[in-house]
Amino acid sequence: QAQLREAGGGSVQTGGSLKLSCTASAYYVCLAWFRQAPGQEREGVASINKFGTAFYGDSVKGRFGISKDNDKRSLYLQMDDLKPEDTAVYYCAVPTFESACISGDALLPQSIAIWGQGTQVTVSS
């Protein structure tokens, strides 16, 4: 059974940084990060494929960076200049189709086949 395990969440103050990691039980060409704040819908944060093609949600562009280590089956999310509105549970995800990382559809929740358990990120003002 495919598994995704996130790590690196925590509490920081506004303007701080965190780096999330996700370790997969198998190799995936296309991976993505999502987040969900209380009472809100799950939101696509960033996606990347094995070639480094990346897409970002508008709210995190210029502040977050996604990267992938194919050898380690790992995905990362470097989050800088964090804001209170970034507070959410962050999920690692695998889209159903690899092409989603080319089209940008990997940022749509309905494109996802596998979800991780999530890791909490809390940003205080």
Side-chain angles (χ1 to χ4, degrees):
Q1 184 175 357
Q3 289 187 335
L4 302 172
R5 181 170 298 178
E6 302 94 339
S11 298
V12 295
Q13 293 187 329
T14 298
S17 297
L18 280 174
K19 185 173 184 178
L20 305 182
S21 64
C22 170
T23 302
S25 60
Y27 174 74
Y28 297 105
V29 170
C30 173
L31 287 161
W33 286 101
F34 281 74
R35 67 185 182 185
Q36 188 166 21
Q40 297 188 20
E41 295 184 353
R42 197 163 291 192
E43 173 191 18
V45 175
S47 67
I48 190 169
N49 68 3
K50 68 176 182 179
F51 303 110
T53 301
F55 286 89
Y56 293 92
D58 289 341
S59 61
V60 305
K61 284 180 181 177
R63 300 187 298 121
F64 289 12
I66 189 170
S67 59
K68 188 172 181 286
D69 185 328
N70 295 320
D71 292 338
K72 296 181 179 179
R73 299 177 179 176
S74 294
L75 178 72
Y76 305 97
L77 185 69
Q78 176 66 45
M79 304 185 294
D80 297 322
D81 189 22
L82 283 161
K83 304 175 181 181
E85 51 263 42
D86 295 318
T87 295
V89 177
Y90 284 71
Y91 299 90
C92 181
V94 178
T96 304
F97 302 108
E98 295 176 359
S99 59
C101 275
I102 300 294
S103 64
D105 287 348
L107 296 185
L108 301 176
Q110 58 265 36
S111 297
I112 301 302
I114 304 170
W115 294 98
Q117 293 298 308
T119 185
Q120 176 71 46
V121 171
T122 302
V123 185
S124 58
S125 57

